[in-house]
């Protein structure tokens, strides 16, 4: 029978134990040993452990300790009957039993796991049982744990996610999965793993040895299905029966490629747009459908044909990929009622691999219908430029504006001036013809250019108002005389010499002649022959004042007034006289004035202080009288209106609205109507300044009062009808105007208290019981309260 290595070792261990127990001596043991384990001869080398490596199977689950092996010594000394074995294995006593000192046997007392610890290292020494002395030096040996297939493969990185482009060819790599097995890869097939796919066929496959997942079908379409769930299995023992296995999941997402062209859902679209829609407004939004996503779905739109190329434009919304159609020019229903656009949508990023699927663009037709709306009148020009001389008389025609209703109805247009742009009411406009005329005298020096706004409203729909702008330039005329350029302060020294220059003067003119100013200076006729000063015209719009005599005295005359005559070059020329004030001053050696005040006046000899006080008292008395007269005249009440016949009327005001406040109580004053020369000084409404054309005074006196009053009301009514800036409320005022021919004349009590009144109201008692109270108050009978 042939023994293996392990069995032979066990046999030798049992033999050594039997020899020890039987009391065999060293010589007998030496003679009975086999040649590989016994030393012959008298000299021997260092002894060592015969069995320095043991093997034990892991995962033993029996009830008895598992025998590992026996330790023996190489040579038993003479006289030694038995040995004790000492092991240094404190940390491992929970797993190995080494208490059998007499035999040297090692047993495993608990289940061993190679994956926790693959081997154990022990240090052991044999001792003489009688003397407790070591037989040989301490030695070391290893106990190895033999592996069994007790661990299944595990995917430590799972579950997996991966992506692969749609339409990929067969065999395109997707992802590699890896499983690990804790068993010993050097012993048997316990750690040899193969891969297989349990779920995900027939779309994907996996290589058995490497775990690389690949596509198994061509033309997988993301738009049909974009995600797949795979289950991959790893099995050890090379996949044989009895092997252990583990699984993991792999989520594979198909990424998009541009394999779908854009397509419009409809071949044509139609939209209605009002003609009043402002420029840059959105008319419509259209979108071509593209099954791709992300950059593959990005597209651009353009108008390739149609009659609205210059009127509309199309752009793309980056977020929604819609085509946005907007207006570039104003629409006009009267000019064109519809537009047709041919629009193309095309992908921006085309994949050449899929050009065979067809053109990656599409076409559609968009029809835009323009709807008519009621538009305000339109002026023939946005800005009118007009000129008028500042010498133009009131009523002079300046120019004409024109507007028309652009709608098909062509409603008549009425004109008015926006008074917010002409607060002083310098101009009027004819409501029907649009002729602009002057309403006041113009002054270029006050305002050289007037910018006014003209309103044009439809007669049928006054809410439709168009606006035109008029710039009126005032032409200059020579209507301003020249004057000194500044307020001169001229001095002359007492020691001045003849011909000495004391002042250089210049002039200004508010007018603006086209060729510039040219002024001429001279002394007036009265001052031409004076012996003190002379004037020299420098011919450059300046003049020089010079002295004519030698020396001046402040005590004789401290101030001189020199009138200077200035003429401009206008046509016709204008002139003015300006007075130059010259003060006599005491000057130093350099001619610089030191003082210009007159010296104190020395009283003439013989004039006493009492006489001077009397003079001053007379002057003071005169001043007091003058002040008293002025005060009395101011306190005297004089009637503002002198008229042969005083009309005193009471005003009855009725309110039918809640607007206006105190201004509604300002009823018309008949006295102001009879005195047109001061009427325009009355208070006017603050929100709208009425424009009233009154009759001239000579004509007014020849017309009865009722006609005048009726004309006034009619003018007010016409102005309110055409003024778009008037308040939106009505104000009703009733005027109790009876005229000069009334039998009752005035019933006001304002004149009844005067003692010189010649009015007789006895007839009131004949009017019935309703007027009895008035008859008692104003009658002259014995029961009257006043006489």
């Amino acid at each position: 029978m042939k023994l293996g290595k392990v069995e032979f070792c066990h046999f030798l261990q049992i033999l050594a134990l039997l020899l020890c127990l039987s009391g065999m001596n060293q010589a007998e043991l030496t003679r009975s040993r086999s040649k590989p384990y016994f030393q012959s001869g008298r000299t021997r080398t260092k002894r060592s452990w015969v069995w320095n490596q043991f093997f034990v199977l892991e995962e033993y689950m029996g009830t008895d300790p598992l025998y590992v092996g026996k330790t023996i010594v190489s040579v038993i000394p003479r006289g030694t009957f038995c040995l004790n074995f000492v092991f240094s294995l404190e940390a491992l006593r929970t797993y190995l039993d080494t208490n059998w000192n007499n035999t040297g046997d090692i047993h495993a007392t608990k289940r061993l796991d190679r994956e926790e610890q693959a081997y154990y290292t022990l240090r052991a020494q044999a001792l003489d049982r009688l003397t407790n002395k070591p037989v040989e030096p301490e030695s070391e040996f290893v106990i190895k744990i033999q592996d069994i297939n007790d661990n299944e493969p595990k995917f430590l990185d799972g579950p997996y996610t991966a992506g692969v482009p749609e339409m990929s060819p067969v065999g395109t790599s997707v992802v590699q999965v890896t499983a690990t097995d804790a068993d010993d890869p050097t012993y048997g097939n316990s750690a040899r793993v193969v891969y297989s796919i349990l779920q995900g066929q027939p779309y994907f496959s996996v290589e058995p040895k490497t775990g690389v997942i690949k596509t198994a079908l061509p033309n997988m379409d993301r738009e049909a299905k974009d995600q797949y769930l795979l289950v991959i299995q790893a099995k050890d023992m090379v996949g044989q029966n009895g092997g252990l296995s583990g699984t993991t999941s792999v989520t594979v997402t198909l990424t998009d490629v541009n394999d779908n062209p854009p397509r419009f859902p409809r071949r044509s679209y139609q939209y209605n747009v009002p003609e009043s829609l402002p420029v840059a407004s959105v008319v419509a939004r259209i979108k071509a459908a593209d099954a791709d996503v992300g950059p593959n779905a990005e597209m651009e739109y353009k108008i390739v044909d149609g009659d609205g190329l210059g009127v509309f434009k199309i752009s793309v919304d980056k977020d929604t990929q819609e085509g946005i159609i907007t207006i570039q020019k104003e629409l006009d229903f009267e000019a064109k009622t519809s537009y047709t656009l041919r629009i193309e949508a095309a992908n921006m990023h085309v994949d050449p691999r899929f050009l065979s699927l067809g053109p990656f663009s599409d076409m559609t037709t968009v029809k835009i219908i323009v709807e008519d709306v009621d538009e305000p009148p339109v002026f023939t020009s946005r800005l009118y430029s007009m000129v008028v001389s500042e010498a133009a008389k009131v009523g002079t025609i300046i120019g004409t504006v024109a507007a028309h209703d652009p709608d098909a109805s062509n409603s008549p247009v009425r004109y008015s001036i926006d008074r917010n742009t002409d607060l002083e009411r310098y101009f009027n406009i004819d409501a029907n013809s649009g002729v602009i005329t002057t309403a006041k005298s113009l002054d270029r020096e006050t305002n050289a250019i007037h910018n006014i706004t003209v309103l044009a409203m439809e007669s049928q729909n006054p809410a439709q108002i168009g606006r035109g702008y008029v710039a009126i330039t005032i032409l200059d005329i020579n209507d301003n005389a020249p004057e000194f350029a500044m307020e001169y302060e001229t001095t002359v020294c007492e020691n001045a010499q003849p011909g000495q220059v004391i002042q250089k003067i210049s002039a200004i003119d508010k007018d603006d002649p086209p060729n510039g100013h040219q002024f001429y200076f001279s002394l007036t006729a009265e001052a031409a022959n004076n012996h003190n000063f002379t004037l020299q015209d420098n011919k450059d719009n300046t003049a020089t004042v010079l002295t004519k005599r030698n020396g001046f005295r402040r005590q004789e005359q401290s101030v001189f007034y020199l009138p200077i005559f200035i003429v401009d070059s206008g046509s016709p020329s204008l002139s003015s006289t300006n007075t130059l004030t010259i003060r006599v001053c005491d000057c130093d050696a350099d001619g610089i004035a030191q003082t210009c005040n007159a010296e104190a006046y020395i009283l003439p000899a013989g004039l006493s202080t009492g006489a001077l006080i009397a003079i001053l008292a007379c002057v003071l008395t005169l001043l007091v009288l003058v002040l008293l007269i002025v005060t009395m005249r101011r306190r005297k009440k004089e009637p503002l209106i002198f008229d042969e016949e005083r009309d005193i009327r009471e005003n009855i005001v009725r309110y039918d609205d809640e607007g206006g406040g105190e201004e509604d109580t300002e009823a018309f004053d008949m006295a102001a109507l009879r005195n047109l020369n001061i009427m325009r000084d009355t208070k006017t409404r603050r929100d709208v300044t009425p424009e009233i054309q009154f009759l001239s005074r000579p004509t007014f006196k020849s017309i009865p009062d009722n006609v005048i009053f009726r004309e006034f009301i009619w003018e007010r009514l016409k102005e309110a009808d055409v003024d778009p800036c008037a308040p939106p409320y009505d104000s009703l005022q009733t005027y109790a105007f009876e005229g000069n021919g009334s039998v009752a004349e005035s019933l006001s009590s304002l004149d009844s208290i005067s003692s010189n009144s010649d009015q007789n109201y006895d007839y009131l008692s004949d009017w019935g019981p309703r007027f009895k109270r008035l008859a008692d108050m104003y009658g002259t009978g014995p029961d009257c309260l006043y006489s």
Side-chain angles (χ1 to χ4, degrees), residues 582-647:
I582 304 173
R583 292 186 176 274
V584 180
C585 299
D586 180 23
C587 302
D588 58 12
D590 296 329
I592 300 175
Q594 299 298 318
T595 177
C596 298
N597 296 327
E599 294 182 355
Y601 182 71
I602 301 176
L603 293 175
L607 186 59
S608 64
T609 304
L612 181 59
I613 294 175
I615 294 173
L616 293 177
C618 292
V619 173
L620 183 59
T621 303
L622 291 175
L623 289 176
V624 172
L625 290 175
V626 171
L627 291 176
L628 183 60
I629 293 172
V630 171
T631 303
M632 294 297 293
R633 289 181 62 87
R634 288 184 177 178
R635 290 185 177 182
K636 183 179 179 181
K637 294 184 178 179
E638 295 181 358
L640 297 178
I641 302 172
F642 297 93
D643 203 348
E644 297 178 358
E645 181 179 359
R646 300 181 64 184
D647 266 329

Side-chain angles (χ1 to χ4, degrees), residues 122-134:
L122 289 83
R123 300 186 67 82
Q125 190 173 32
L127 303 177
D128 190 326
R129 185 179 300 177
L130 298 178
T131 63
N132 202 29
K133 293 182 179 180

